[in-house]
Amino acid sequence: MAPPGPEGGRAAAGAVAPGKKITARIKRTLPVKGPQAPTLSELMRWYCLNTNTHGCRRIVVSRGRLRRFLWILLTLSAVGLILWQCAELLLNYYSASVSVTVQFQKLPFPAVTICNINPYKYSSMKDYLSELDKETKKALETFYGFSEGKSKVRRSVDEWNSTGSDFFKQIPLLKFEDFSKTATDLRSGQKRKIEGSVFHKDSSIVNSGDSNDIIGFQLCDANNSSECALYTFSSGVNAIQEWYKLHYMNIMAQIPLETKEKLSYSADDLLLTCFFDGLSCDKRHFTRFHHPLHGNCYTFNSGENGTILSTSTGGSEYGLQVVLYIDEADYNPFLVTSTGAKIIVHDQNEYPFIEDIGTEIETAAATSIGMHFTRSRKLSKPYSDCTETGADIPVENLYNKSYSLQICLHSCFQKAMVDSCGCAQYAQPLPAGAEYCNYKKNPNWMYCYYRLHEKFVKEQLGCQQICKDACSFKEWALTTSIAQWPSAVSEDWMLRVLSWDKGQKINKKLNKTDLANLMVFYKDLNERFISENPANTLVILLSNFGGQLGLWMSCSVVCVIEIVEVFFIDSLSIVMRCQWQKAKKWWNDRKRDRLGKPPQAGDLERQGHDNPVCIDEDLPTFNTALRLPLPQDSPLPRTPPPNYSTLRLETAFTEQLPDTLEVGQH
């Protein structure tokens, strides 16, 4: 055989195998499938035939409408169950389980704050309260006809008016009959029509006068006398006490703090004896802090010196034991109506809210308070709406103690008080740059305070919505028991000894009603730790997802990735490609119309996937593609599908392909 010539060599070098050329022509002719499909319907058919989820494939390959409908129904039901179960798993993922751990160990002793119920010595306060006390006694004479304990001696109105009464001018006391808007001014004796909202405060104390008579007072806006509020009480005792406290706070707000500390009880005045853990203690173990409503209070084991006492044994013998001197004879008769002391057990970093959660201690009795210690820990977001340190709460902490819900609520109300009324309420700490309310500088503060407090109680200030619970806190559950003390047989010698111990400060024999015995101790040393733990971790959540997908759809992670690829990425690309083709066609038509050119022949040629003979519900295979008929009344496609049953190519190709010729001659 002779070697091939130059032209034959070039033909052989550029030749392509017949099989590959036929395969390429068939691929160009058959409809495009998969991610390159031109329409969403073709993409969905390709996905259903190639996915790993059996239900989708059955929808396409099933023959008969009933069978296909059943597979559609089953597949959609499975998808719905998956969505439902996955939603339940997500909800359970953000739930928490509570675990309780009990440990027996040496426990730190809490701080114990003790206050006398009477905040200031009445003998020291008489100069400040003399005018207020006189008018209060006048009111009692007018209301109930008694003075200094002697009843039925009514005071005439003229006699009262002749002496003057500034306090009743500021807040007049009124007597209402049958809940009507007609009231009698107890100062002038005149009846008048009263306008304003009525706020009735019921009392557990029985009214000492006529059951139909209601005592109260009226508060009006100093800037608008038509804006008034009536506060009524079913008991004259409560009405007079509330009226007295308003004037009392106004007076105390004008006294400097240093002076008020001297007017209240010292540690030597309050404490007679002290024992802790079987050892003697004294006033050096107590820290003084001044409470606006309770005067000087004293905290045992406050931790201010950096040392916190602890106990290793439970029982009353190893706790705190103190004997308190109450001095009932020096009580303010109008401010407080009970005798004794108030205590609160709290953590060293917590503020003692005596007025809210304090426990009262009786005189002439031994009060034993057993404690159980519990530490609690809650999960923060997204499991609960608690706060770790309070830094995320938009309320300034006025107490300089660790965050708590009570601190937040009181601070929020005080801030609203300063913003609305221009001054601060006396019972709470002062914000920076603010002053306590008093008549001289703020004549409208009482009406403003009552209106603001009404909104606070009705949760209209927004404080309850802003403030959150703390995520971690300590709690001491208290069990209180009371016994008579001292006993009848030991009363004589105990009072003599205590009077001798106290004789350096007072010149009288003590009475048992002046004393209170207090014991605070751990009932056991079991520390209970309550914590919240996530009910589900991320690993468990993913495992549950996988189980649900495998159970209902026989699907795996790869299947999920496939769904994301087809239904999101590929579908989006097809939509964008169709829009691009429409825009391109519109632009070409517009350009052609502008230039006035006739349509080109190439524009009429059909692409492979536009061939109408290739459009079928079933996916064409290689064998069916070979038997596809040519379209009628239509020009021959540019790349028609092969139409042969053997290797003969007469129909589609009239000439022998160059790459099938013999390469050389022998």
Side-chain angles (χ1 to χ4, degrees), residues 132 135-136 139 143 160 165-174 185-187 192 215-220 229-231 233 239-250 439 442-447 449-450:
L132 177 60
E135 294 203 14
T136 305
F143 298 164
W160 191 353
S165 51
D166 295 335
F167 292 98
F168 281 95
K169 290 179 181 178
Q170 295 168 346
I171 306 178
L173 278 174
L174 306 172
D185 191 333
L186 295 177
R187 173 177 170 269
R192 56 175 175 169
I215 306 299
F217 51 83
Q218 182 184 33
L219 295 176
C220 296
L230 306 177
Y231 294 89
F233 304 82
I240 292 177
Q241 270 198 307
E242 188 73 14
W243 178 87
Y244 186 91
K245 286 180 180 179
L246 287 175
H247 293 292
Y248 170 82
M249 288 192 297
N250 181 77
Y439 293 142
N442 313 98
N444 197 39
W445 80 266
M446 284 190 182
Y447 175 79
Y449 165 73
Y450 269 86

Side-chain angles (χ1 to χ4, degrees), residues 559-616:
C559 177
V560 174
I561 298 174
E562 181 183 82
I563 292 174
V564 173
E565 178 188 12
V566 172
F567 285 91
F568 293 96
I569 300 177
D570 293 342
S571 299
L572 180 62
S573 63
I574 289 175
V575 173
M576 296 299 295
R577 186 166 63 245
C578 291
Q579 296 298 325
W580 169 253
Q581 290 175 356
K582 290 180 180 179
K584 185 176 180 181
K585 183 178 180 301
W586 173 82
W587 177 257
N588 291 333
D589 294 344
R590 181 182 179 185
K591 185 176 180 182
R592 184 172 56 250
D593 295 341
R594 186 186 304 171
L595 297 177
K597 294 182 179 180
Q600 301 295 326
D603 297 337
L604 301 176
E605 295 181 358
R606 298 175 181 266
Q607 301 297 328
H609 56 75
D610 294 329
N611 191 346
V613 301
C614 298
I615 300 176
D616 192 11

Side-chain angles (χ1 to χ4, degrees), residues 417-458:
M417 181 78 181
V418 174
D419 294 339
S420 302
C421 307
C423 57
Q425 203 261 345
Y426 175 70
Q428 297 164 3
L430 272 175
E435 295 181 352
Y436 284 128
C437 298
N438 63 79
Y439 293 142
K440 295 180 180 179
K441 295 184 179 180
N442 313 98
N444 197 39
W445 80 266
M446 284 190 182
Y447 175 79
C448 182
Y449 165 73
Y450 269 86
R451 282 295 190 183
L452 201 66
H453 189 266
E454 176 192 353
K455 293 182 180 180
F456 178 78
V457 173
K458 294 181 179 179

Side-chain angles (χ1 to χ4, degrees), residues 521-560:
F521 56 92
Y522 278 115
K523 298 184 70 174
D524 54 54
L525 297 182
N526 294 332
E527 177 185 357
R528 293 162 179 83
F529 179 62
I530 301 176
S531 62
E532 290 184 348
N533 301 311
N536 293 290
T537 61
L538 182 60
V539 176
I540 297 177
L541 179 66
L542 294 177
S543 300
N544 292 333
F545 277 155
Q548 294 297 327
L549 291 173
L551 176 64
W552 300 107
M553 293 286 290
S554 67
C555 190
S556 63
V557 176
V558 177
C559 177
V560 174

Side-chain angles (χ1 to χ4, degrees), residues 296-342:
N296 290 341
C297 298
Y298 297 89
T299 302
F300 176 78
N301 194 29
S302 64
E304 284 193 357
N305 57 359
T307 302
I308 298 178
L309 302 176
S310 59
T311 180
S312 57
T313 307
S316 60
E317 297 294 330
Y318 299 94
L320 174 66
Q321 303 180 38
V322 292
V323 176
L324 305 175
Y325 178 58
I326 302 302
D327 194 12
E328 182 183 9
D330 211 8
Y331 266 42
N332 188 324
F334 307 113
L335 185 64
V336 293
T337 55
S338 58
T339 305
K342 267 193 173 184

Side-chain angles (χ1 to χ4, degrees), residues 320-536:
L320 174 66
Q321 303 180 38
V322 292
V323 176
L324 305 175
Y325 178 58
I326 302 302
D327 194 12
E328 182 183 9
D330 211 8
Y331 266 42
N332 188 324
F334 307 113
L335 185 64
V336 293
T337 55
S338 58
T339 305
K342 267 193 173 184
I343 76 153
I344 182 174
V345 178
H346 58 96
D347 185 65
Q348 283 75 15
N349 294 323
E350 294 179 358
Y351 183 84
F353 286 96
I354 299 288
E355 69 277 16
D356 293 338
I357 55 176
T359 301
E360 293 188 351
I361 305 300
E362 295 184 18
T363 57
T367 304
S368 299
I369 299 179
M371 302 182 298
H372 288 291
F373 179 50
T374 302
R375 287 191 300 119
S376 300
R377 172 72 182 176
K378 297 171 61 178
L379 293 174
S380 58
K381 290 184 177 180
Y383 299 97
S384 66
D385 195 26
C386 67
T387 178
E388 293 287 350
T389 60
D392 56 332
I393 305 298
V395 176
E396 180 186 1
N397 189 337
L398 301 178
Y399 291 83
N400 296 322
K401 291 290 185 178
S402 60
Y403 175 86
S404 67
L405 179 61
Q406 285 178 298
I407 283 180
C408 181
L409 292 175
H410 285 286
S411 300
C412 179
F413 178 81
Q414 187 72 305
K415 183 179 183 301
M417 181 78 181
V418 174
D419 294 339
S420 302
C421 307
C423 57
Q425 203 261 345
Y426 175 70
Q428 297 164 3
L430 272 175
E435 295 181 352
Y436 284 128
C437 298
N438 63 79
Y439 293 142
K440 295 180 180 179
K441 295 184 179 180
N442 313 98
N444 197 39
W445 80 266
M446 284 190 182
Y447 175 79
C448 182
Y449 165 73
Y450 269 86
R451 282 295 190 183
L452 201 66
H453 189 266
E454 176 192 353
K455 293 182 180 180
F456 178 78
V457 173
K458 294 181 179 179
E459 300 185 3
Q460 296 176 356
L461 283 183
C463 294
Q464 287 82 355
Q465 290 75 23
I466 296 175
C467 297
K468 305 175 183 178
D469 288 322
C471 291
S472 59
F473 53 91
K474 299 177 182 179
E475 183 181 9
W476 284 267
L478 307 181
T479 303
T480 304
S481 59
I482 301 175
Q484 182 181 356
W485 179 89
S487 63
V489 295
S490 61
E491 176 180 350
D492 184 60
W493 74 266
M494 286 191 65
L495 293 179
R496 287 177 179 271
V497 173
L498 291 174
S499 299
W500 184 83
D501 292 338
K502 196 69 175 176
Q504 300 176 356
K505 297 289 181 71
I506 59 175
N507 297 320
K508 69 173 185 177
K509 181 181 177 181
L510 296 178
N511 191 294
K512 66 178 182 180
T513 57
D514 293 327
L515 305 177
N517 190 1
L518 171 65
M519 291 173 285
V520 182
F521 56 92
Y522 278 115
K523 298 184 70 174
D524 54 54
L525 297 182
N526 294 332
E527 177 185 357
R528 293 162 179 83
F529 179 62
I530 301 176
S531 62
E532 290 184 348
N533 301 311
N536 293 290

